[in-house]
């Protein structure tokens, strides 16, 4: 049981790191105005990342043409969730569940 939970949290942590890379690619591509977001590779990337980014765009609107919401999105995704998942996976590995 402990090994399967540890594997689950390790998989979630890896998926979050992969999603972080997708977010960074999405943000870097937004600097190029000629990217057509309706073409298949870009539309898939947009469909995967925009719902998460839109949560933060509602909190921090663009200021002076610059969108600062991705910084908040990355800050929340990378250190906070990764730390949380790593802590939980260590607790599962050592058997101290806390509930």
């Amino acid at each position: 049981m402990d090994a399967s939970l540890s594997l689950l949290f390790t998989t979630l942590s890896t998926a979050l790191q992969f999603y972080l890379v997708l977010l960074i690619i999405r943000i870097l591509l937004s600097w190029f105005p000629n990217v057509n977001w309706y073409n298949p590779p870009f539309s898939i990337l947009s469909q995967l990342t925009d719902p998460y980014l839109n949560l933060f765009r509602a909190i921090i609107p663009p200021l002076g043409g610059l969108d600062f919401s991705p910084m908040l999105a990355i800050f929340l995704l990378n250190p906070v969730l990764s730390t949380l998942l790593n802590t939980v996976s260590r607790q599962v590995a050592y058997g101290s569940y806390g509930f």
Side-chain angles (χ1 to χ4, degrees):
M1 176 82 167
D2 289 339
S4 62
L5 285 176
S6 179
L7 178 63
L8 173 69
F9 288 114
T10 302
T11 304
L12 285 174
S13 179
T14 303
L16 285 175
Q17 294 302 318
F18 179 71
Y19 192 73
L20 179 66
V21 169
L22 290 178
L23 280 173
I24 291 171
I25 291 170
R26 169 68 168 100
I27 292 165
L28 291 175
L29 284 174
S30 71
W31 293 350
F32 298 99
N34 59 348
V35 172
N36 185 357
W37 292 105
Y38 297 107
N39 285 340
F42 302 120
S43 68
I44 293 169
L45 181 64
S46 178
Q47 289 173 359
L48 289 172
T49 57
D50 279 352
Y52 181 68
L53 290 173
N54 287 339
L55 294 172
F56 298 98
R57 287 179 182 140
I59 297 170
I60 303 173
L63 301 170
L66 296 175
D67 188 11
F68 293 104
S69 61
M71 288 191 299
L72 182 60
I74 289 174
F75 174 74
L76 182 67
L77 184 66
N78 193 28
V80 174
L81 290 179
S82 294
T83 303
L84 179 67
L85 281 174
N86 288 334
T87 302
V88 170
S89 67
R90 277 192 222 112
Q91 288 179 350
V92 168
Y94 294 121
S96 59
Y97 297 105
F99 50 79

